[in-house]
Amino acid sequence: MQTPTARLLELLELLQARPLTTGREIAEQLAIDSRTVRRYIAALQALEIPVEGQRGVGGGYRVRPGYRLPPLMLSDDEAVVVVLGLIAARRQGLDSDSGSVDGALAKIHRVLPDPLRRRVEALETALGFTATPRAGAPVAGDTVLLLAEAIRRGRRVRTAYRSYAGERTRRELSPYGIVVHAARWYLAAHDHLRDDMRTFRLDRMSSTALLETAATPAPDDFDAVVHISRSLARVPWGVEVEVLLDLPVDRAARRLPSTLAELLETEGGTLLRMRVDSLDWMAGTLASLGCGFEIRSPDELRASVRELSARLAAVA
């Protein structure tokens, strides 16, 4: 049979897990009556834990928003998920510029019970990955949070931005979505300086501030992932390529990521448009698709395909 202390800790965990919990839900979960629920709530309040009660239909109990409850209570499964998430974030190059992953792991180790902490440490030591770690572009956590708040509240932001070429400008943006790709953080936003939709690297933003001005509404059915994928596929590398693939567009999309190429459904297959620095690399990419194709431009790509074909025939 559980002790009153154990019941109090279980109630505390229940209140942490939900934004609002009714007295009936607490009574059913802890197998106690409504009078005992009120007594336990009063006991938590006596410990200076700010549990608030709301009367009436839809009322219940909650811990005051913003209050950080000690101790951090995690089940075995929850501890594994949190640790795996932190390790994976670091390997994917998504750690912050202040090394927050190590700090978060250290805090989790300190608050876990000794048996669970030893097992989590053993997991960290034993765990391996087939994929190599990515070299990311760390961003400040407060910048990510500020942009997320601006998106949620529909507000503009002002930021200093450094372009790929090193040009520094002050921008006022209406932000619509944050996307992570290849260990980089990107923002989809309307740029009021250019009066156009643009994509921004978060690690190139600084002195970002939330404004009182309302953001320009996003276009209908706007999808930040689609916008940024297309934007990355149109990065102005040296040569523009256009090829008609003998593939339905859905099958072509499974073989070529949207961040690499723009794929358009057309009569006779899929029109591929992309920019590359190496036509020899492009020839190898086309060969790897395992389908027929018609090169529309540039003419020099045909020569690269013929040379690749000759090399493969010689090896065979």
Side-chain angles (χ1 to χ4, degrees):
M1 183 175 181
Q2 285 186 312
T3 65
T5 300
R7 287 286 177 81
L8 278 179
L9 289 174
E10 189 175 352
L11 171 57
L12 189 55
E13 185 173 2
L14 183 63
L15 292 172
Q16 288 184 86
R18 303 177 184 180
L20 190 71
T21 309
T22 67
R24 177 177 296 180
E25 289 170 337
I26 295 172
E28 291 176 353
Q29 183 75 24
L30 303 185
I32 57 179
D33 57 32
S34 58
R35 180 178 298 177
T36 307
V37 170
R38 291 192 293 272
R39 190 169 70 248
Y40 282 0
I41 292 293
L44 290 178
Q45 292 170 335
L47 294 171
E48 298 185 353
I49 295 173
V51 180
E52 301 174 339
Q54 299 180 4
R55 297 182 180 276
V57 178
Y61 298 99
R62 68 171 186 173
V63 176
R64 184 192 308 147
Y67 180 75
R68 297 184 178 183
L69 281 171
L72 176 67
M73 292 182 285
L74 296 174
S75 67
D76 289 15
D77 286 346
E78 290 168 343
V80 169
V81 168
V82 171
V83 170
L84 282 178
L86 289 169
I87 294 173
R90 180 168 56 196
R91 289 185 62 87
Q92 289 296 314
L94 300 180
D95 198 358
S96 72
D97 55 1
S98 60
S100 300
V101 167
D102 287 337
L105 284 171
K107 289 179 181 178
I108 289 173
H109 287 175
R110 286 198 296 269
V111 300
L112 290 178
D114 283 344
L116 181 54
R117 176 180 53 78
R118 287 193 293 269
R119 297 177 74 180
V120 166
E121 289 174 345
L123 172 64
E124 292 178 46
T125 302
L127 187 64
F129 294 84
T130 56
T132 56
R134 288 182 179 271
V139 299
D142 56 355
T143 299
V144 177
L145 294 175
L146 184 146
L147 291 172
E149 180 185 2
I151 292 166
R152 181 178 63 84
R153 297 175 61 186
R155 301 265 292 278
R156 295 188 188 186
V157 298
R158 183 176 291 119
T159 187
Y161 192 70
R162 173 179 52 82
S163 70
Y164 176 78
E167 178 190 8
R168 296 182 181 273
T169 53
R170 294 289 297 177
R171 307 291 184 99
E172 187 168 312
L173 311 175
S174 290
Y176 301 139
I178 300 169
V179 176
V180 175
H181 169 71
R184 301 290 189 272
W185 297 75
Y186 295 91
L187 176 70
H190 181 89
D191 181 359
H192 294 278
L193 177 65
R194 311 297 189 199
D195 193 23
D196 196 9
M197 284 293 304
R198 293 294 171 95
T199 295
F200 298 90
R201 282 259 300 265
L202 265 64
D203 59 296
R204 295 178 183 161
M205 299 172 68
S206 60
S207 304
T208 305
L210 184 66
L211 303 179
E212 293 296 330
T213 312
T216 300
D220 292 340
D221 301 322
F222 179 78
D223 187 317
V225 173
V226 171
H227 166 79
I228 288 177
S229 296
R230 288 175 177 169
S231 176
L232 294 175
R234 295 169 181 168
V235 170
W237 301 112
V239 182
E240 186 172 357
V241 170
E242 187 171 291
V243 178
L244 180 64
L245 304 177
D246 186 18
L247 273 180
V249 69
D250 57 336
R251 290 177 59 191
R254 290 197 291 270
R255 303 182 191 187
L256 285 166
S258 58
T259 52
L260 182 65
E262 184 178 6
L263 302 172
L264 303 173
E265 187 173 9
T266 187
E267 184 178 355
T270 297
L271 184 63
L272 176 154
R273 288 177 178 158
M274 59 189 297
R275 301 186 72 100
V276 299
D277 270 349
S278 169
L279 291 178
D280 289 343
W281 176 88
M282 187 68 218
T285 299
L286 291 173
S288 71
L289 297 178
C291 69
F293 56 85
E294 175 191 335
I295 298 172
R296 294 192 172 178
S297 65
D299 290 338
E300 293 81 1
L301 179 55
R302 295 185 177 88
S304 293
V305 170
R306 284 194 294 269
E307 290 173 7
L308 175 61
S309 176
R311 291 199 301 271
L312 293 175
V315 172

